[in-house]
Amino acid sequence: MPVNPDLTEREFAPTAPYLVGREKVREFARAVLATSPLHHDPAAAQAAGYADVVAPPTFPIVIAEATLQQLLAEPDAGIDFSRVVHGDQRFTYTRPIVAGDELTATLRVTSIKTLGGNSMVASESTMVDAEGAHVVTSVSTLVVRGDDS
């Protein structure tokens, strides 16, 4: 079943707020081998001008994943998860994420292209804080392999 091209420009409901926890930031930092004291030590982060520990640059994937689950669960999407490969991931920040942030993400499918029998599904997840201010946008491309791939 091909990916439904009508998904282009579809925007999904915002996710439930995600409270960024200090220990979650530390766990993620350890997992990606981010050793800066800014990710682990609240005193070091505060000395650098942050309210609490700073999440590593790729941390927003934790929140973006919830939006991608919305896309994959869409009944008319035509996306077979067993045929999905992550093709690209980028982040554009307004400010760093720190422990204590409460973030909400909204997914929008930006394009669907067919290339070599595969579908390239591009999307962006816009994350805002509790005041509605932009924090980061995650841009992702999923490759949905065709039946012959």
Side-chain angles (χ1 to χ4, degrees):
M1 179 173 163
V3 174
N4 180 357
D6 292 339
L7 288 172
T8 303
E9 296 302 326
R10 187 176 297 179
E11 186 171 298
F12 291 79
T15 61
Y18 180 93
L19 180 59
V20 178
R22 183 183 293 161
E23 288 309 312
K24 181 63 87 176
V25 169
R26 288 174 170 155
E27 290 168 0
F28 190 90
R30 282 192 296 274
V32 298
L33 306 177
T35 58
S36 169
L38 296 177
H39 306 308
H40 302 276
D41 182 358
Q46 290 166 357
Y50 300 102
D52 208 315
V53 293
V54 179
T58 55
F59 184 84
I61 194 64
V62 172
I63 302 148
E65 193 274 338
T67 64
L68 290 174
Q69 288 301 318
Q70 291 176 307
L71 172 61
L72 296 173
E74 190 69 7
D76 70 340
I79 299 174
D80 176 355
F81 186 66
S82 70
R83 304 196 64 80
V84 171
V85 177
H86 197 179
D88 184 33
Q89 186 72 56
R90 289 174 277 137
F91 302 99
T92 304
Y93 279 87
T94 299
R95 67 166 178 83
I97 295 172
V98 296
D101 276 337
E102 186 174 279
L103 302 175
T104 302
T106 303
L107 177 78
R108 183 175 65 90
V109 176
T110 56
S111 73
I112 298 175
K113 298 176 183 170
T114 301
L115 182 64
N118 302 312
S119 296
M120 314 288 281
V121 181
S123 64
E124 63 181 30
S125 297
T126 303
M127 297 171 215
V128 299
D129 63 19
E131 287 74 42
H134 179 265
V135 176
V136 60
T137 297
S138 168
V139 176
S140 173
T141 301
L142 300 178
V143 179
V144 183
R145 295 177 291 126
D147 291 334
D148 297 331
S149 299

